[in-house]
Structures are given as structure tokens and as C-alpha cells.
């Protein structure tokens, strides 16, 4: 069954009050400058009539609260100034695209439970995430689509935010502040206020006035990639952590990997396994495998920064592993765990100081790019949104039943998200080339773990 999504209305929501003159220019930090200009998707799913709030009231509350929230997140109603350096956002109060649709041929529960709908989740977003014509411009910063399910009153709020100005933590901060404002309007509790974002990152990581000299490659979709969702229950994650601990105790000195580290490393191993199998059928050359990982550095700063710090506060670390065709897959898993853990562990006070004061990140990224374009190198990127409070986003009609991502235009990428509000399971959104995905889905160890 194909989702039948009809547009009911489309408008721009502007801040409810004009942005003050002294805030009209929002300078980007250096970490913003090196971030990709890709759009990050997020979908929030809400059951219908849970609080007996009709859809017209809900849509009105969403628009009114968004206008109020944008007075704090004023940069999201502006546009990135087009130039090679990308130094600032023009906070011109142009507004945020806001679309309302009606889904008329199925219930929300079907979309959540039936795997056949996964490929269609992009219809619940303002535009196709793989539409290069739209994503290539990348000047607007936020876009929202509210989908009303006619048969059950359920709602899906689909959002895009531009990675050039925000990371996952910033995205969660905006969503929860918006939800708080809406909740106050719906339940008539006007005493609760939001503090809004803080912008320390711009002074802590000053922009490069002369530009950065290169753009980090995003590997835009060319029609050969596919995204699949793999769900891991808490019991399976516990099994994986136990296996990880048992097999690596001689290299990790008793360290107990987190569930995200255990799962990420396992998925990296599966990725290597399918590539090694392909290589063995052709020739036995050496191969270099890179796993990059986006690490939130707010809590790693000294002093620590609040979660409300808005912008790209992410360091991309990497684990690099060389393997030859004579090494069995059972032998390199412990080494992968150690490398993945050590790569994250090195993001400490000294590492961050180097990011702030030198061209360390530029030199590091140049080396990575050299690896990316080497014929002997195969890379995969990891990002975890686990533990971000997205399931707390209550707009006045209850918490979301589910929070998800969808297809992505990135190549060889894995995003981890909590599968439910209790945070005990993890869903992995894996994007690979189609031929690699076929083999990935057949991986025997992976089949034993997915639910």
C-alpha cells in the first residue's frame, strides 16, 4: 500500500516578534563552517485523541507556538548567506516553511508497525531527502510538515534542520523547547517558560576568516544507495555487550563497552565481513577500513557546556584498521572494539584545546579525505542519537509513540536511535550501496540479533 498524502495548507511561520537589530547577523563558528550543508530528518509520531484535542486545535497550537519559539531560535527563520566562506546567517525573519497534510488511506499504527511503510516515510517530510535539486542549495535552515491521519487522528511531525547550523543535540533542544511552548498553550499553563538556546560555540571556536579551503565530502545520493532499519531489543544488546566484554577483556583491561559502542563495533564488523567476502572472490589485497564517529563535546569541555548550547558541538573521530585477506573475522573483532573505544576516548580536554587553537581539524580532515579517495580504503560513518530526550517532546497531547529517521543521501552511514521512550532498545538506520545491503541483510550474526 502506498501512503496517500494530500497537502491541506502551506505557509511560512515567522517569529512572533521581530529579531532585534543587534542579532540580525548570526556568525557561524568554525565547527559550523566545516559541517556539511545536508538536511537532517526527524519524525515524531503521536497517537490520535489521546488528550481529546482535535486536529484543528493542535495545528493552531503548533503554528502559534512555533512563532513564539522562533523568537529565541531566530536564526532558524533566516538564511545562510551564499559565499565560499559561509560566515554567517542573515536573521531576516523570512520564516520557516510549514506544511499541513492529510493521510487518508491508513492508520498511524500501520505506519509504525508494518515494515513495508519504511521506504515511504520520506512522504511525511517536507521534501525528499535525496532530492539533490533542493538539498544542493541549502540556504534555508528549518522546514516542517505536520501530517494528520484522517482515520485515527494520529499525527506525524516531520522536520528538517540544516546541519550547517545545528547538530543532533541542538535539534533536540529546539524540538523540546517548541513542544514546551505548545504544551503551555494547549493546557493553558503560561507560567512555564523556556530559556532558549545559548551561543557559546561561536566564541569558543571562532570562524576562519579566510575560509576553510575545502568542503567535507558528503557523497550525495546517486540512486545506488538504500537505507534499511534494523531493530535490536534490550536482551540482544545485553548479549552483544556480554560477548563484547568476553572477547575483548584481554585488550580492554576489564572495560565494559557501552551498548552503543558494542553495537557500533558489531555493525562495523558486519560491514567489513561483507567486503572481505567480496574481495576473497576476486583478489587478496590489503584493505584499510575507517569508522568515523560523531562525538558530542559539550560534556567534554572544561568547564562543561549546557545541553542548550546551540550549533555544531561535534568532533569527528576515527578508528582506522588494516586487514589482510589471511586474517579470520573471528580474530579482528576484539581489535575493532578497542580501536572504536580508543577513538572516542581520545576526545578529551587536550584534544578539544587543539581544535580551538590550531588547524588540527583541517589537517586531520585532509588526511581522512586522502583515505576516502584511496582505492584500498573503505569508510563508514557512525552517529548516535541515543539518550537525546526526543521522546520527551510533549506538545500538549502526550509523548510521541515513536521517533524515527528515514532514508538519507549519505553513503556508508549508520545512525543509532532509541527505539522507544524507555531507551532499552536501539534502531540502526543503515545506508549502503544496494549490492552491499543485499549481503548485509544476509549476515548470519546480524540475523541472530535483529528483532
Amino acid at each position: 500500500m502506498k501512503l496517500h498524502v494530500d497537502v491541506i495548507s502551506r505557509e511560512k511561520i515567522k517569529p512572533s516578534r521581530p529579531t532585534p537589530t543587534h542579532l540580525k547577523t548570526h556568525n557561524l563558528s568554525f565547527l559550523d563552517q566545516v559541517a556539511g550543508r545536508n538536511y537532517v530528518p526527524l519524525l515524531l509520531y503521536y497517537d490520535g485523541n489521546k488528550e481529546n484535542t482535535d486536529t484543528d486545535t493542535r495545528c493552531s497550537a503548533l503554528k502559534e507556538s512555533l512563532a513564539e519559539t522562533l523568537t529565541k531560535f531566530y536564526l532558524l527563520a533566516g538564511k545562510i548567506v551564499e559565499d565560499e566562506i559561509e560566515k554567517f546567517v542573515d536573521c531576516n525573519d523570512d520564516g520557516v516553511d510549514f506544511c499541513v497534510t492529510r493521510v487518508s488511506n491508513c492508520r498511524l499504527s500501520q505506519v509504525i508497525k508494518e515494515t513495508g511503510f519504511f521506504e515511504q516515510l520520506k512522504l511525511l517530510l517536507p521534501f525528499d531527502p535525496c532530492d539533490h535539486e533542493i538539498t544542493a542549495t541549502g540556504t534555508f535552515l528549518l522546514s516542517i510538515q505536520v501530517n494528520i491521519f484522517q482515520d485515527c487522528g494520529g499525527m506525524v511531525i516531520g522536520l528538517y534542520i540544516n546541519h550547517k547550523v545545528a547538530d543532533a543535540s541542538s535539534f533536540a533542544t529546539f524540538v523540546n523547547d517548541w513542544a514546551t511552548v505548545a504544551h503551555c498553550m494547549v493546557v493553558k499553563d503560561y507560567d512555564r517558560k523556556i530559556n532558549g538556546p545559548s551561543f557559546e560555540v561561536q566564541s569558543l571556536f571562532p570562524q576562519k576568516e579566510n575560509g576553510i579551503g575545502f568542503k567535507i565530502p558528503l557523497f550525495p545520493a546517486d540512486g545506488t544507495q538504500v537505507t534499511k532499519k534494523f531493530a535490536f531489543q534490550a536482551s540482544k544488546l545485553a548479549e552483544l555487550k556480554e560477548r563484547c566484554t568476553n572477547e575483548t577483556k584481554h585488550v580492554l583491561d576489564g572495560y565494559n563497552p557501552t551498548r552503543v559502542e558494542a553495537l557500533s563495533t558489531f555493525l562495523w564488523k558486519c560491514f567489513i565481513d561483507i567486503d572481505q567476502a567480496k574481495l576473497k572472490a576476486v583478489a587478496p589485497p590489503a584493505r584499510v577500513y575507517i569508522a568515523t564517529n560523531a562525538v558530542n563535546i559539550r560534556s567534554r569541555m572544561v568547564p562543561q557546556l549546557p545541553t542548550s548550547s546551540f550549533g555544531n558541538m561535534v568532533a569527528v573521530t576515527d578508528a582506522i584498521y588494516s586487514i589482510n585477506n589471511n586474517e579470520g573475522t573471528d580474530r579482528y573483532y576484539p581489535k575493532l572494539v578497542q580501536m572504536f573505544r580508543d577513538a572516542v576516548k581520545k576526545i578529551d580536554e587536550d584534544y578539544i584545546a587543539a581544535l580551538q587553537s590550531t588547524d588540527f581539524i583541517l589537517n586531520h580532515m585532509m588526511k581522512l579525505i586522502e583515505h576516502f579517495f584511496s582505492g584500498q580504503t573503505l569508510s563508514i560513518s557512525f552517529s548516535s542519537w541515543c539518550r537525546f530526550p526526543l521522546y520527551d517532546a510533549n506538545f500538549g497531547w502526550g509523548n510521541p509513540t515513536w521517533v524515527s529517521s528515514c532514508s538519507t543521501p549519505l553513503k556508508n552511514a549508520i545512525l543509532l536511535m532509541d527505539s522507544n521512550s524507555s531507551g532499552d532498545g536501539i534502531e540502526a538506520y543503515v545506508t549502503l550501496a544496494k549490492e552491499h545491503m543485499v549481503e548485509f541483510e544476509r549476515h548470519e550474526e546480524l540475523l541472530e540479533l535483529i528483532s
Side-chain angles (χ1 to χ4, degrees):
M1 180 190 299
K2 184 174 181 180
L3 286 176
H4 191 185
V5 182
D6 294 314
V7 175
I8 299 173
S9 65
R10 191 184 299 275
E11 60 188 296
K12 278 200 172 183
I13 305 297
K14 300 176 182 292
S16 58
R17 296 180 297 280
T19 298
T21 303
H22 70 283
L23 297 177
K24 286 290 187 179
T25 297
H26 175 83
N27 290 322
L28 296 177
S29 74
F30 174 59
L31 296 182
D32 294 330
Q33 284 182 295
V34 299
R37 207 192 262 199
N38 56 302
Y39 287 96
V40 181
L42 179 67
L43 295 134
L44 307 166
Y45 303 74
Y46 295 89
D47 291 334
N49 301 318
K50 197 168 187 179
E51 302 295 332
N52 297 316
T53 308
D54 66 84
T55 55
D56 288 342
T57 300
R58 285 190 284 172
C59 287
S60 295
L62 286 173
K63 288 189 281 188
E64 186 180 351
S65 59
L66 177 59
E68 180 64 25
T69 307
L70 287 174
T71 64
K72 299 284 190 180
F73 294 83
Y74 49 87
L75 76 161
L76 297 179
K79 292 188 181 299
I80 295 176
V81 173
E82 286 274 16
D83 63 23
E84 292 184 1
I85 302 175
E86 295 179 326
K87 292 195 300 185
F88 66 93
V89 175
D90 180 11
C91 305
N92 57 8
D93 296 337
D94 185 54
V96 171
D97 288 331
F98 188 94
C99 177
V100 179
T101 75
R102 179 186 294 111
V103 182
S104 57
N105 64 333
C106 72
R107 301 175 70 84
L108 178 63
S109 58
Q110 292 176 265
V111 173
I112 294 175
K113 294 177 182 177
E114 297 178 18
T115 57
F117 282 107
F118 178 75
E119 293 295 326
Q120 300 183 58
L121 294 183
K122 60 187 178 183
L123 298 176
L124 304 178
L125 288 160
F127 52 85
D128 187 331
C130 298
D131 187 334
H132 185 64
E133 228 176 89
I134 295 176
T135 58
T137 55
T139 56
F140 66 92
L141 303 178
L142 179 67
S143 186
I144 298 169
Q145 181 170 309
V146 177
N147 308 276
I148 307 298
F149 283 71
Q150 181 175 296
D151 291 345
C152 64
M155 173 185 285
V156 177
I157 302 176
L159 309 94
Y160 278 120
I161 201 164
N162 195 316
H163 205 336
K164 180 60 67 175
V165 297
D167 57 13
S169 179
S170 300
F171 206 176
T173 293
F174 165 75
V175 167
N176 278 287
D177 277 5
W178 178 26
T180 297
V181 175
H183 188 275
C184 291
M185 291 180 177
V186 171
V187 303
K188 312 301 182 186
D189 176 15
Y190 296 101
D191 292 332
R192 191 175 176 189
K193 306 294 183 182
I194 63 170
N195 293 322
S198 55
F199 298 107
E200 300 98 331
V201 62
Q202 288 72 29
S203 59
L204 293 173
F205 296 90
Q207 62 186 223
K208 302 290 185 180
E209 292 296 330
N210 298 321
I212 59 174
F214 71 93
K215 300 294 181 185
I216 296 175
L218 292 177
F219 303 109
D222 56 10
T224 63
Q225 282 91 247
V226 61
T227 301
K228 299 282 186 178
K229 176 173 71 80
F230 299 88
F232 300 85
Q233 295 180 351
S235 59
K236 296 298 183 180
L237 292 172
E239 289 178 16
L240 187 58
K241 281 189 64 177
E242 183 178 2
R243 171 189 167 183
C244 199
T245 302
N246 291 338
E247 293 187 15
T248 61
K249 56 186 177 183
H250 62 287
V251 294
L252 293 183
D253 298 323
Y255 172 76
N256 185 19
T258 67
R259 61 187 191 136
V260 168
E261 289 172 341
L263 180 57
S264 298
T265 310
F266 172 75
L267 294 174
W268 187 22
K269 177 186 179 299
C270 293
F271 178 72
I272 295 174
D273 286 344
I274 62 173
D275 182 66
Q276 283 288 299
K278 183 181 67 174
L279 289 178
K280 286 179 180 178
V282 181
R287 182 74 117 170
V288 176
Y289 296 97
I290 301 177
T292 63
N293 190 22
V295 179
N296 184 354
I297 62 174
R298 289 168 178 81
S299 62
R300 295 168 185 261
M301 299 284 292
V302 179
Q304 293 187 10
L305 295 182
T307 57
S308 60
S309 296
F310 198 90
N312 284 288
M313 292 291 290
V314 170
V316 177
T317 187
D318 58 88
I320 302 176
Y321 184 58
S322 299
I323 188 171
N324 63 59
N325 216 246
N326 298 319
E327 187 173 359
T329 60
D330 58 331
R331 293 175 55 194
Y332 65 73
Y333 180 57
K335 191 66 174 176
L336 294 181
V337 178
Q338 180 187 28
M339 287 185 162
F340 198 90
R341 176 231 181 180
D342 289 346
V344 174
K345 189 178 178 181
K346 71 181 181 183
I347 309 296
D348 56 15
E349 182 181 355
D350 292 337
Y351 186 98
I352 293 171
L355 288 182
Q356 292 176 281
S357 60
T358 69
D359 284 338
F360 169 77
I361 190 172
L362 294 179
N363 298 331
H364 180 67
M365 293 310 299
M366 288 301 292
K367 289 180 181 178
L368 278 181
I369 289 172
E370 290 177 9
H371 280 299
F372 285 151
F373 293 103
S374 167
Q376 292 185 331
T377 301
L378 195 60
S379 64
I380 189 164
S381 63
F382 288 89
S383 182
S384 173
W385 290 18
C386 295
R387 304 303 188 196
F388 285 131
L390 294 168
Y391 280 93
D392 293 343
N394 184 343
F395 288 85
W397 42 85
N399 296 76
T401 304
W402 186 38
V403 178
S404 84
S405 184
C406 69
S407 302
T408 174
L410 304 182
K411 178 182 179 182
N412 294 348
I414 296 179
L415 170 65
L416 304 182
M417 297 183 69
D418 293 319
S419 58
N420 51 50
S421 58
S422 64
D424 53 3
I426 294 179
E427 292 173 343
Y429 295 82
V430 181
T431 303
L432 298 174
K434 290 180 180 178
E435 66 271 19
H436 292 162
M437 183 61 77
V438 170
E439 299 303 321
F440 193 84
E441 290 181 294
R442 294 174 180 168
H443 195 286
E444 291 184 5
E445 292 180 71
L446 178 62
L447 291 174
E448 292 174 1
L449 287 176
I450 59 177
S451 51

